Amino acid sequence: MDSRNHFETRTTYALHRAEWLVALGVSVALALAHLEDIRWPVFVGSFAVIDLVGYIPGAIRFRRSADGRIPKGYYVAYNTMHSLVTGAVMAGLWAVLVEPEWALLAIPIHLMGDRGLFGNSLKPFGIPFEPATHPAFADFEHSYAHAEDPDAPETVATASASAHQVERTGGRATHAVDS
């Protein structure tokens, strides 16, 4: 991936997840080293608010939608709450206005866990709110895998198979956002 090619191969995606897992490990190790100093209500609140504001409302709306369309505001809320910038601002404001404390490690633990363990990052408007393979991405994976080694047997599912999968899931991957 570079400034002109905004995509990830399976390998670069796995490498990015490995980096996030290292950051998760450091955050968890720090929390364990300071376990007795953590104020648990602050920890739990800091961990939970990210999904209470940024994920759960969009997930509910998505599941209730007949066609998978949800307003862009749900994506904005998710991306805002799952941003490392927002996490740093939240922790910084808490440290300045209340006090610096080990409970704030809940923020990087949550964000690094989402990225490293679950592979979730920020959500573009053009994909479903919940994970589903987009037909254009299936096309890309197929084309890219074939371009890397044109003589290799087909190992990536074809785009038409992915498109049929989308049709079987009620078209959710084709209609991600309701403007």
Side-chain angles (χ1 to χ4, degrees), residues 23-154:
L24 174 62
V26 169
S27 299
V28 168
L30 284 169
L32 291 173
H34 297 280
L35 209 53
E36 65 281 351
D37 299 320
I38 292 177
R39 289 194 306 147
W40 290 103
V42 175
F43 185 96
V44 170
S46 297
F47 190 94
V49 72
I50 295 167
D51 281 343
L52 289 173
V53 173
Y55 172 68
I56 292 173
I60 291 169
R61 182 70 184 263
F62 180 81
R63 284 176 177 82
R64 289 183 176 171
S65 172
D67 64 358
R69 289 178 176 262
I70 66 171
K72 288 181 182 178
Y74 291 104
Y75 288 79
V76 172
Y78 181 92
N79 291 340
T80 299
M81 294 307 296
H82 287 82
S83 165
L84 297 173
V85 173
T86 302
V89 168
M90 286 172 35
L93 284 173
W94 187 273
V96 168
L97 299 175
V98 180
E99 67 177 322
E101 58 182 297
W102 294 107
L104 297 174
L105 284 169
I107 296 168
I109 288 171
H110 183 126
L111 298 177
M112 298 306 131
D114 277 357
R115 286 169 169 77
L117 295 174
F118 304 114
N120 296 329
S121 189
L122 304 181
K123 295 182 182 292
F125 292 142
I127 64 167
F129 193 80
E130 293 290 357
T133 302
H134 192 284
F137 186 74
D139 286 342
F140 157 73
E141 267 194 324
H142 177 73
S143 298
Y144 190 79
H146 188 68
E148 280 186 312
D149 186 2
D151 297 326
E154 300 237 358

